Amino acid sequence: MKKWQCIVCGFEYDEAEGMPDEGIEPGTKWEDIPDDWTCPDCGAPKDDFEMMEVD
Amino acid sequence: MSTMTLAEARAHDRKRWLWPMGFGIIIIVAVAALTGWFTGITPLIYAGPLMVYVIVPLLDFFIGKDSSNPPERVMEILEHDPFYRYSTYVYVVVQMGLFVGASAIVGTQEMTFWQWLGFATTIGMLSGISINTAHELGHKRTWLESWLAKIALAPVAYGHFYVEHNRGHHARVATPEDPASARMGESFWAFLPRTVMGSLRSAWEIEKATLARKGRGVWSVHNEVLQAWGMTAVLWGGLMLAFGIELLPFLILQAVLGASLLEAVNYAEHYGLLRKKREDGRYERCQPEHSWNNDHIVTNIMLFHLQRHSDHHAHPTRRYQSLRHFDEAPELPTGYAGMIVLAYFPPLWYRVMDKRVVAHYDGDLRQANLQPGQRARLLAKYPPPATRGDAVA
């Protein structure tokens, strides 16, 4: 499981947690998130996320 | 399907050859101020405030708007056209040259108080405008652009903006928690201390949290806020070493004026606008309707399309040349230069803007971002539709 971070505002998407309120189940891999999904905080597109170091 | 060439795409941008005026305008201001200095016509040294508060609002009024958007495929090509980037690079170089040059004159030449004040206000305006250039550069991830952004913020001592704007303001925009989103019923003079102090605190906390996650303390060379302030210390320190410690009041005054100019623009950008809170406690995504837009040509050229603010917040990584006009975004009556002048006089501001916020929310101010202490008064003055019905019945 990986974490991804928005390069604009720093929002983190954690694959393990998903975003159930947005219909993204826990465990959803980054590549399975729709391409038109955007950062819930600042609106940056999926392309503007980068993988974070795994703790 | 035929592919479009770069030259064909470029031909679609009506403002293409106007963009270099972004730095052209600060050169014009500098030439006017220098003419005032050498000829003894002191009012000309005030070219900065004259340009921002008088000439540009008039030019906006007479030249008007451009609400056109190039076709989507054109914008995809122009997004990668380096021509646009170069104007922002040149801007930073010119700005630094003017700042150092003015410091040399102020530090070493005998002058009257009014001449001194002219240099401080003119350079203050240029420093304020350069925060806008830093803003465009600070959203980009290339090494060169992020460093140019920090350099552009050094003269005005506002380096924490680099951190707070992206990671604070963009995430919290148009919510009561954002220090840089003005509330309806909040005067500019109440907003100014709230945004300055709130943004400072926020930048520090964001950086502290970022560093903690990497296992570092806040007092680290990796602290981007400290890095940016360090650049100001080196720049100001170097100038005072070269031209004398007497330069300090000039440096402080121009920084205060520059930062206030930027905050007056911030005041206009989201006044009264509010993102809805969803059931899970998160705010809805930022949409074009959460920022005031403006299509006036002169201010947009001067500010690298900052006034296409609705698209900027909805799509924060687009470069300035690709920012679009949206019909659904609320529209300011004039460009930022004119709006700043209005902001300084709260009764005028309320008269022009409050009815626009009311109209934007179809008369229902319960959906707007209201200043807590003014909430009851504003809802009584502009009753929401349902309450209005009750009153009739």
Side-chain angles (χ1 to χ4, degrees):
Chain A
M1 293 281 117
K2 293 180 189 123
K3 285 185 187 176
W4 296 77
Q5 185 174 41
C6 171
I7 63 167
V8 176
C9 75
F11 170 84
E12 285 170 24
Y13 173 75
D14 186 337
E15 292 182 344
E17 291 176 12
M19 288 194 71
D21 291 311
E22 301 227 332
I24 299 173
E25 296 300 320
T28 303
K29 285 205 165 24
W30 183 248
E31 53 267 32
D32 295 330
I33 289 178
D35 286 339
D36 59 359
W37 181 86
T38 59
C39 173
D41 277 351
C42 78
K46 194 181 162 189
D47 287 349
D48 288 325
F49 277 69
E50 55 190 26
M51 211 201 311
M52 294 172 70
E53 285 172 39
V54 185
D55 325 313
Chain B
M1 203 176 78
S2 66
T3 46
M4 183 179 281
T5 66
L6 182 59
E8 283 166 338
R10 285 173 166 182
H12 275 274
D13 181 5
R14 294 203 222 157
K15 293 199 272 263
R16 180 176 170 78
W17 289 107
L18 290 174
W19 292 121
M21 276 309 288
F23 61 83
I25 208 156
I26 63 171
I27 294 176
I28 293 170
V29 166
V31 168
L34 280 176
T35 308
W37 167 246
F38 285 114
T39 60
I41 307 172
T42 303
L44 270 182
I45 303 178
Y46 291 80
L50 282 174
M51 182 69 90
V52 171
Y53 298 133
V54 182
I55 299 173
V56 170
L58 287 174
L59 286 174
D60 261 347
F61 181 78
F62 288 110
I63 294 180
K65 298 200 224 181
D66 168 29
S67 300
S68 67
N69 295 332
E72 203 58 40
R73 64 206 168 100
V74 170
M75 272 189 282
E76 274 162 34
I77 299 173
L78 294 186
E79 179 79 14
H80 303 289
D81 182 351
F83 169 83
Y84 297 94
R85 242 168 284 170
Y86 296 154
S87 281
T88 58
Y89 302 172
V90 174
Y91 185 103
V92 178
V93 174
V94 171
Q95 157 73 14
M96 291 310 284
L98 295 179
F99 182 74
V100 172
S103 298
I105 295 176
V106 171
T108 61
Q109 304 296 306
E110 287 292 315
M111 60 175 69
T112 67
F113 170 75
W114 295 110
Q115 288 174 317
W116 178 87
L117 189 65
F119 278 110
T121 51
T122 287
I123 292 300
M125 295 298 116
L126 299 192
S127 289
I129 302 169
S130 81
I131 301 179
N132 171 65
T133 311
H135 166 256
E136 171 67 22
L137 291 160
H139 271 296
K140 308 301 173 292
R141 276 297 171 271
T142 68
W143 176 88
L144 179 64
E145 285 168 303
S146 37
W147 275 98
L148 282 173
K150 288 179 192 166
I151 291 170
L153 291 170
V156 64
Y158 227 51
H160 59 286
F161 178 86
Y162 178 84
V163 170
E164 157 56 24
H165 178 82
N166 289 5
R167 289 184 267 158
H169 176 61
H170 268 273
R172 290 186 300 226
V173 63
T175 71
E177 289 83 36
D178 182 26
S181 296
R183 302 151 182 170
M184 181 176 175
E186 178 180 34
S187 77
F188 170 65
W189 303 108
F191 171 77
L192 184 60
R194 178 171 77 85
T195 184
V196 169
M197 296 314 296
S199 300
L200 262 173
R201 202 177 304 131
S202 167
W204 190 256
E205 280 164 12
I206 289 169
E207 198 55 19
K208 195 172 165 182
T210 307
L211 289 164
R213 219 167 25 222
K214 293 174 185 160
R216 295 191 175 108
V218 72
W219 297 101
S220 151
V221 289
H222 301 281
N223 182 324
E224 291 196 286
V225 175
L226 290 178
Q227 283 174 8
W229 287 343
M231 288 171 73
T232 298
V234 169
L235 177 66
W236 285 22
L239 290 171
M240 284 189 284
L241 270 181
F243 307 123
I245 186 91
E246 305 79 14
L247 199 58
L248 189 59
F250 162 81
L251 294 174
I252 292 174
L253 180 58
Q254 64 83 29
V256 168
L257 291 172
S260 315
L261 187 67
L262 176 271
E263 294 301 353
V265 165
N266 270 340
Y267 178 70
E269 283 170 344
H270 307 283
Y271 180 78
L273 302 177
L274 183 66
R275 284 153 71 190
K276 288 190 185 62
K277 211 168 203 168
R278 306 190 312 197
E279 280 178 10
D280 61 350
R282 299 188 70 84
Y283 286 98
E284 64 177 321
R285 278 181 174 71
C286 186
Q287 302 292 327
E289 76 231 31
H290 298 123
S291 315
W292 292 94
N293 192 67
N294 187 265
D295 283 333
H296 278 85
I297 296 172
V298 176
T299 27
N300 263 322
I301 291 297
M302 197 169 120
L303 297 171
F304 296 117
H305 252 170
L306 181 68
Q307 300 177 148
R308 291 257 171 117
H309 210 62
S310 301
D311 197 14
H312 169 63
H313 267 278
H315 305 94
T317 43
R318 286 181 92 99
R319 287 179 179 274
Y320 73 88
Q321 67 269 23
S322 337
L323 293 173
R324 296 154 298 174
H325 161 87
F326 285 94
D327 284 335
E328 68 266 33
E331 183 86 10
L332 292 172
T334 186
Y336 287 165
M339 295 311 293
I340 292 167
V341 178
L342 279 182
Y344 293 159
F345 304 98
L348 278 180
W349 175 273
Y350 296 141
R351 178 175 282 253
V352 171
M353 285 304 293
D354 285 4
K355 61 182 183 208
R356 289 183 158 79
V357 180
V358 175
H360 177 64
Y361 288 111
D362 289 328
D364 189 357
L365 277 190
R366 289 170 302 187
Q367 298 178 51
N369 189 5
L370 303 178
Q371 175 78 340
Q374 302 291 326
R375 193 172 182 87
R377 185 185 66 80
L378 288 168
L379 287 173
K381 187 173 176 186
Y382 304 101
T387 354
R388 238 180 280 159
D390 295 345
V392 172

